[in-house]
Amino acid sequence: MGRPQVVLGVSGGIAAYKACELLRRLTESGHEVRVVPTESALHFVGEATWSALSGNPVPTRVWDDVHQVPHVRIGQHADLVVVAPATADLLARAAHGLADDLLTNTLLTARCPVVFAPAMHTEMWEHPATQDNVATLRRRGAVVIEPAVGRLTGADTGKGRLPEPAEIYEVCRRVLARGGALPRDLAGRHVVISAGGTREPLDPVRYLGNRSSGKQGYALARTAVARGARVTLVAANTGLPDPAGADVLTAGTADQLREAVLKAAADADVVVMAAAVADFRPAAYATGKIKKRDGEEPAPIPLVRNPDILAELSANRPRAGQLVVGFAAETDDVLANGRAKLARKGCDLLVVNEVGERKVFGAEENEAVVLGADGSETPVPHGPKEALADRVWDLVTARLG
Ligand code: C5P
């Protein structure tokens, strides 16, 4: 099989410069990319940049190289079309099936999955015309990523920022792997996900922490957004870019995580505790840095238990029918320990994986068994963390009723 053929459509927004980073990620990961900028995109980033970064000629007009029928060929040969940034105007033209430039012709001839990454001012994004166009494109099977919230061109901030190129790239990778859009079976649901690892401070410079990267929790957030959920992600010390379309709250310690998760869980349909929460914290916090003293052994550090958030959530569900999912990292007797933990915590599903120094933590891939309180046991083979996340959502939607 040849390299996957990706068409990167770029429409005329200031965020066009960020598409250069997306292009670089796509080419470096082995995709063959044709860039199709609109006339207005070329006001922001010129043809030479797109050509040099993609290693391919850059057709810009329907009338270039007419003998090769580019307005039909480019779309026909694509495995994926991604438009980033997608302006309000481009979304409108795509939704209405216009074909007044090479990019919209390409969108009409493409039979592969299509991803739009919108970027525009908040007012334009929220306008009913744009919202209707987005709904139309989604109904036809296109993936329209929710814009990020943050600084827009000029001094204003709000929803409408182009998601980070790394985020758009991840969506493209997943859509390509699946060969199409995901089902929107979590539409109308609120899901709360914790991710990362808590840090329990000893003094102003030191903490007790763990190796959790947060990648599995972020994969759960991304996949839930793609399946239509409203997502609140409570992130503990991850340093990862915010998943597009999720509301991200941050927490440092187990206590802060507990407060944020319990508050968000009040109206949630599902809570997934993917964060590695410290079981213990130092009994005392030294307000000044703990000093070493010549000739003295270090004093032992007394620990106290942290609240078990998963057990607390499972025992006191704020909403009838709320589903609670836990994670368990085990080093030995994985299944037996997992079953015992599921019973102890009282959650509905427990994702159990085997960990070691080089296994899972920080990796892009994972392997697990999902145990159900109903006795079910679903093995998920080694694969991307998104694949495990999607399996978890499959099991959740089957139980949501
Ligand atoms: O008991 P253990 O730490 O192995 O349990 C792991 C699961 O419990 C994870 O889902 C984790 O998020 C959750 N947990 C918690 N509060 C704690 C410890 C773990 O919610 N204090």
Side-chain angles (χ1 to χ4, degrees):
M1 226 176 78
R3 300 201 289 165
Q5 308 281 314
V6 176
V7 172
L8 170 59
V10 184
S11 56
I14 180 68
Y17 75 93
K18 292 193 189 169
C20 299
E21 169 67 14
L22 174 62
L23 172 55
R24 200 184 56 76
R25 281 177 186 265
L26 286 165
T27 53
E28 282 179 2
S29 53
H31 302 84
E32 179 74 27
V33 188
R34 298 290 300 255
V35 184
V36 182
T38 62
E39 288 283 342
S40 37
L42 293 171
H43 289 295
F44 295 98
V45 179
E47 191 181 329
T49 302
W50 301 122
S51 180
L53 286 177
S54 66
N56 274 317
V58 175
T60 55
R61 299 185 320 133
V62 181
W63 309 112
D64 292 340
D65 303 317
V66 175
H67 63 289
Q68 292 175 350
V69 209
H71 74 286
V72 178
R73 284 283 159 75
I74 296 172
Q76 278 177 336
H77 286 103
D79 297 307
L80 175 80
V81 180
V82 50
V83 185
T87 58
D89 178 69
L90 188 280
L91 292 174
R93 289 189 290 137
H96 291 276
L98 299 191
D100 52 356
D101 64 6
L102 191 57
L103 179 53
T104 44
N105 273 279
T106 300
L107 287 167
L108 277 184
T109 50
R111 291 293 172 270
C112 59
V114 179
V115 173
F116 293 94
M120 63 198 73
H121 275 83
T122 312
E123 294 82 352
M124 296 176 97
W125 172 253
E126 288 176 349
H127 195 285
T130 305
Q131 288 301 307
D132 282 354
N133 291 331
V134 168
T136 301
L137 292 166
R138 283 184 175 151
R139 198 178 61 247
R140 291 188 197 131
V143 176
V144 185
I145 307 177
E146 285 293 310
V149 177
R151 181 90 191 263
L152 304 170
T153 324
D156 38 357
T157 59
K159 189 166 184 177
R161 234 173 106 88
L162 186 75
E164 289 305 312
E167 277 299 314
I168 306 171
Y169 170 75
E170 274 305 318
V171 173
C172 292
R173 198 171 64 86
R174 294 183 47 237
V175 170
L176 260 174
R178 277 187 61 99
L182 292 163
R184 291 181 67 78
D185 52 3
L186 285 171
R189 304 289 189 175
H190 178 205
V191 310
V192 176
I193 300 159
S194 69
T198 64
R199 291 179 182 173
E200 310 299 321
L202 270 165
D203 68 17
V205 293
R206 304 184 181 94
Y207 58 81
L208 295 182
N210 60 68
R211 293 168 183 268
S212 177
S213 66
K215 287 179 181 168
Q216 184 62 61
Y218 277 56
L220 282 156
R222 269 197 297 273
T223 45
V225 170
R227 291 169 81 144
R230 174 160 78 84
V231 177
T232 304
L233 176 66
V234 183
N237 310 298
T238 60
L240 298 170
D242 289 356
D247 290 328
V248 183
L249 310 172
T250 52
T253 63
D255 264 340
Q256 291 165 353
L257 189 96
R258 175 179 172 275
E259 204 180 309
V261 168
L262 293 187
K263 197 163 166 211
D267 70 345
D269 299 284
V270 189
V271 183
V272 183
M273 285 293 298
V277 183
D279 291 320
F280 311 106
R281 66 173 182 274
Y285 172 73
T287 49
K289 187 179 168 191
I290 301 167
K291 297 269 191 305
K292 58 176 175 292
R293 299 189 198 286
D294 285 346
E296 270 182 35
E297 286 303 307
I301 300 169
L303 300 175
V304 292
R305 277 193 100 97
N306 269 331
D308 190 319
I309 309 163
L310 180 61
E312 186 177 346
L313 270 167
S314 303
N316 317 296
R317 313 219 180 182
R319 270 183 93 167
Q322 182 178 77
L323 280 178
V324 180
V325 183
F327 270 69
E330 301 290 343
T331 51
D332 48 312
D333 266 343
V334 176
L335 282 186
N337 283 331
R339 271 274 158 233
K341 188 165 288 180
L342 176 71
R344 211 163 52 238
K345 302 266 188 181
C347 53
D348 302 287
L349 293 167
L350 189 74
V351 185
V352 189
N353 47 42
E354 197 177 338
V355 292
E357 277 209 3
R358 247 172 251 103
K359 265 187 176 166
V360 184
F361 285 122
E364 301 301 331
E365 307 214 311
N366 207 348
E367 176 180 349
V369 180
V370 188
L371 302 178
D374 50 10
S376 67
E377 199 171 300
T378 313
V380 185
H382 190 80
K385 288 185 169 174
E386 275 85 8
L388 173 57
D390 268 324
R391 270 321 265 138
V392 171
W393 296 128
D394 290 344
L395 296 168
V396 162
T397 50
R399 283 162 177 77
L400 273 173

mmCIF file of all heavy atoms in Angstrom, residues 253-269:
data_model
loop_
_atom_site.group_PDB
_atom_site.id
_atom_site.type_symbol
_atom_site.label_atom_id
_atom_site.label_comp_id
_atom_site.label_asym_id
_atom_site.label_seq_id
_atom_site.Cartn_x
_atom_site.Cartn_y
_atom_site.Cartn_z
ATOM 1 N N THR A 253 -3.400 18.819 43.311
ATOM 2 C CA THR A 253 -3.371 17.763 44.329
ATOM 3 C C THR A 253 -4.642 16.910 44.249
ATOM 4 O O THR A 253 -5.603 17.271 43.562
ATOM 5 C CB THR A 253 -3.330 18.400 45.734
ATOM 6 O OG1 THR A 253 -4.553 19.139 45.908
ATOM 7 C CG2 THR A 253 -2.148 19.347 45.890
ATOM 8 N N ALA A 254 -4.630 15.808 45.019
ATOM 9 C CA ALA A 254 -5.811 14.938 45.073
ATOM 10 C C ALA A 254 -7.024 15.705 45.602
ATOM 11 O O ALA A 254 -8.133 15.556 45.087
ATOM 12 C CB ALA A 254 -5.521 13.726 45.959
ATOM 13 N N ASP A 255 -6.794 16.545 46.599
ATOM 14 C CA ASP A 255 -7.916 17.320 47.172
ATOM 15 C C ASP A 255 -8.524 18.251 46.132
ATOM 16 O O ASP A 255 -9.748 18.366 46.032
ATOM 17 C CB ASP A 255 -7.426 18.144 48.371
ATOM 18 C CG ASP A 255 -7.699 17.407 49.674
ATOM 19 O OD1 ASP A 255 -8.569 16.507 49.662
ATOM 20 O OD2 ASP A 255 -7.029 17.721 50.677
ATOM 21 N N GLN A 256 -7.650 18.927 45.365
ATOM 22 C CA GLN A 256 -8.152 19.842 44.326
ATOM 23 C C GLN A 256 -8.881 19.067 43.231
ATOM 24 O O GLN A 256 -9.911 19.489 42.721
ATOM 25 C CB GLN A 256 -6.991 20.645 43.714
ATOM 26 C CG GLN A 256 -6.395 21.641 44.682
ATOM 27 C CD GLN A 256 -5.044 22.162 44.227
ATOM 28 O OE1 GLN A 256 -4.475 21.695 43.232
ATOM 29 N NE2 GLN A 256 -4.508 23.123 44.963
ATOM 30 N N LEU A 257 -8.335 17.895 42.894
ATOM 31 C CA LEU A 257 -8.965 17.072 41.862
ATOM 32 C C LEU A 257 -10.346 16.615 42.322
ATOM 33 O O LEU A 257 -11.323 16.654 41.573
ATOM 34 C CB LEU A 257 -8.078 15.863 41.529
ATOM 35 C CG LEU A 257 -8.543 15.066 40.320
ATOM 36 C CD1 LEU A 257 -7.789 15.526 39.064
ATOM 37 C CD2 LEU A 257 -8.327 13.580 40.495
ATOM 38 N N ARG A 258 -10.406 16.212 43.600
ATOM 39 C CA ARG A 258 -11.689 15.754 44.159
ATOM 40 C C ARG A 258 -12.729 16.853 44.062
ATOM 41 O O ARG A 258 -13.855 16.623 43.599
ATOM 42 C CB ARG A 258 -11.487 15.338 45.620
ATOM 43 C CG ARG A 258 -12.752 14.966 46.336
ATOM 44 C CD ARG A 258 -12.495 14.530 47.774
ATOM 45 N NE ARG A 258 -13.754 14.357 48.466
ATOM 46 C CZ ARG A 258 -14.428 15.339 49.054
ATOM 47 N NH1 ARG A 258 -13.937 16.572 49.045
ATOM 48 N NH2 ARG A 258 -15.575 15.103 49.641
ATOM 49 N N GLU A 259 -12.344 18.060 44.468
ATOM 50 C CA GLU A 259 -13.297 19.172 44.457
ATOM 51 C C GLU A 259 -13.794 19.433 43.030
ATOM 52 O O GLU A 259 -15.005 19.574 42.800
ATOM 53 C CB GLU A 259 -12.605 20.418 45.009
ATOM 54 C CG GLU A 259 -13.571 21.406 45.576
ATOM 55 C CD GLU A 259 -12.847 22.638 46.106
ATOM 56 O OE1 GLU A 259 -11.894 22.474 46.885
ATOM 57 O OE2 GLU A 259 -13.253 23.743 45.693
ATOM 58 N N ALA A 260 -12.861 19.475 42.071
ATOM 59 C CA ALA A 260 -13.238 19.784 40.686
ATOM 60 C C ALA A 260 -14.109 18.678 40.094
ATOM 61 O O ALA A 260 -15.114 18.949 39.426
ATOM 62 C CB ALA A 260 -11.979 19.977 39.843
ATOM 63 N N VAL A 261 -13.745 17.415 40.355
ATOM 64 C CA VAL A 261 -14.491 16.298 39.767
ATOM 65 C C VAL A 261 -15.898 16.228 40.373
ATOM 66 O O VAL A 261 -16.886 16.089 39.649
ATOM 67 C CB VAL A 261 -13.736 14.958 39.946
ATOM 68 C CG1 VAL A 261 -14.627 13.777 39.614
ATOM 69 C CG2 VAL A 261 -12.492 14.928 39.071
ATOM 70 N N LEU A 262 -15.995 16.351 41.701
ATOM 71 C CA LEU A 262 -17.318 16.240 42.341
ATOM 72 C C LEU A 262 -18.246 17.348 41.854
ATOM 73 O O LEU A 262 -19.432 17.116 41.605
ATOM 74 C CB LEU A 262 -17.205 16.277 43.865
ATOM 75 C CG LEU A 262 -16.505 15.074 44.531
ATOM 76 C CD1 LEU A 262 -16.626 15.156 46.053
ATOM 77 C CD2 LEU A 262 -17.060 13.726 44.046
ATOM 78 N N LYS A 263 -17.693 18.556 41.682
ATOM 79 C CA LYS A 263 -18.521 19.679 41.222
ATOM 80 C C LYS A 263 -19.014 19.413 39.791
ATOM 81 O O LYS A 263 -20.199 19.545 39.495
ATOM 82 C CB LYS A 263 -17.672 20.953 41.267
ATOM 83 C CG LYS A 263 -18.482 22.193 41.206
ATOM 84 C CD LYS A 263 -17.658 23.393 41.662
ATOM 85 C CE LYS A 263 -18.400 24.649 41.251
ATOM 86 N NZ LYS A 263 -17.528 25.746 40.968
ATOM 87 N N ALA A 264 -18.086 18.996 38.924
ATOM 88 C CA ALA A 264 -18.458 18.763 37.517
ATOM 89 C C ALA A 264 -19.401 17.567 37.392
ATOM 90 O O ALA A 264 -20.233 17.501 36.486
ATOM 91 C CB ALA A 264 -17.212 18.552 36.678
ATOM 92 N N ALA A 265 -19.272 16.599 38.334
ATOM 93 C CA ALA A 265 -20.061 15.361 38.241
ATOM 94 C C ALA A 265 -21.537 15.585 38.557
ATOM 95 O O ALA A 265 -22.370 14.740 38.246
ATOM 96 C CB ALA A 265 -19.490 14.303 39.181
ATOM 97 N N ALA A 266 -21.863 16.763 39.157
ATOM 98 C CA ALA A 266 -23.243 16.991 39.614
ATOM 99 C C ALA A 266 -24.256 16.773 38.499
ATOM 100 O O ALA A 266 -25.330 16.238 38.733
ATOM 101 C CB ALA A 266 -23.363 18.397 40.190
ATOM 102 N N ASP A 267 -23.927 17.171 37.265
ATOM 103 C CA ASP A 267 -24.899 16.979 36.179
ATOM 104 C C ASP A 267 -24.329 16.072 35.084
ATOM 105 O O ASP A 267 -24.725 16.159 33.929
ATOM 106 C CB ASP A 267 -25.331 18.332 35.588
ATOM 107 C CG ASP A 267 -24.205 19.000 34.805
ATOM 108 O OD1 ASP A 267 -23.031 18.572 34.951
ATOM 109 O OD2 ASP A 267 -24.502 19.922 34.035
ATOM 110 N N ALA A 268 -23.381 15.203 35.466
ATOM 111 C CA ALA A 268 -22.737 14.360 34.446
ATOM 112 C C ALA A 268 -23.477 13.040 34.248
ATOM 113 O O ALA A 268 -24.064 12.499 35.187
ATOM 114 C CB ALA A 268 -21.295 14.074 34.842
ATOM 115 N N ASP A 269 -23.455 12.547 33.024
ATOM 116 C CA ASP A 269 -24.003 11.217 32.736
ATOM 117 C C ASP A 269 -22.952 10.144 33.012
ATOM 118 O O ASP A 269 -23.287 9.010 33.331
ATOM 119 C CB ASP A 269 -24.427 11.132 31.264
ATOM 120 C CG ASP A 269 -25.507 12.140 30.935
ATOM 121 O OD1 ASP A 269 -26.651 11.889 31.312
ATOM 122 O OD2 ASP A 269 -25.188 13.188 30.336
#
